[in-house]
Amino acid sequence: MTDKIESKDSAGFKRLKWQCRRGMLELDVLFEPFLDEVFLTLDDEDKQRFYKLIECEDQEIFPWFMQKEVPEDPDLARIVHLIVTRVQPENYRA
């Protein structure tokens, strides 16, 4: 996905919000606030990382957000770190 999303009212943002709805509540409570509160402030490279992340399967990304594993891909590792530290900074252990 490479839509230029400028506002929460855009069709691209609404489509992205739908894609952020996952099969696991644990992921929903991370993705949705991040999308609503942070996504539009990201630079284009980090937005692309986010698009790459949401293409991954839930069972692959769940351990990353539970801090059991770190993604091998540095782009995915960066966006996971951004999401965890921005959405739940008090729980993050670097």
Side-chain angles (χ1 to χ4, degrees):
M1 174 181 289
T2 57
D3 292 352
K4 187 78 169 170
I5 298 175
E6 301 292 335
S7 76
K8 290 182 180 184
D9 296 325
S10 71
F13 187 86
K14 290 175 183 175
R15 190 169 34 255
L16 185 59
K17 190 166 182 82
W18 180 253
Q19 289 177 295
C20 285
R21 297 190 66 185
R22 310 303 285 209
M24 296 181 157
L25 177 61
E26 295 89 347
L27 297 176
D28 287 348
V29 299
L30 292 169
F31 282 1
E32 291 185 37
F34 184 81
L35 183 66
D36 289 337
E37 299 165 15
V38 180
F39 180 81
L40 291 173
T41 68
L42 297 175
D43 63 31
D44 289 342
E45 290 175 352
D46 284 336
K47 286 179 181 175
Q48 290 303 316
R49 290 178 179 108
F50 187 77
Y51 295 135
K52 186 176 183 179
L53 176 67
I54 63 170
E55 294 297 319
C56 297
E57 296 293 328
D58 288 358
Q59 61 270 23
E60 179 182 12
I61 63 178
F62 181 74
W64 302 341
F65 287 103
M66 297 302 108
Q67 300 167 12
K68 305 284 187 211
E69 297 176 13
V70 175
E72 290 181 19
D73 181 317
D75 286 332
L76 292 174
R78 174 173 167 74
I79 196 65
V80 167
H81 177 77
L82 285 175
I83 292 170
V84 170
T85 57
R86 299 237 181 139
V87 176
Q88 56 177 1
E90 68 279 0
N91 297 326
Y92 186 72
R93 289 173 262 123

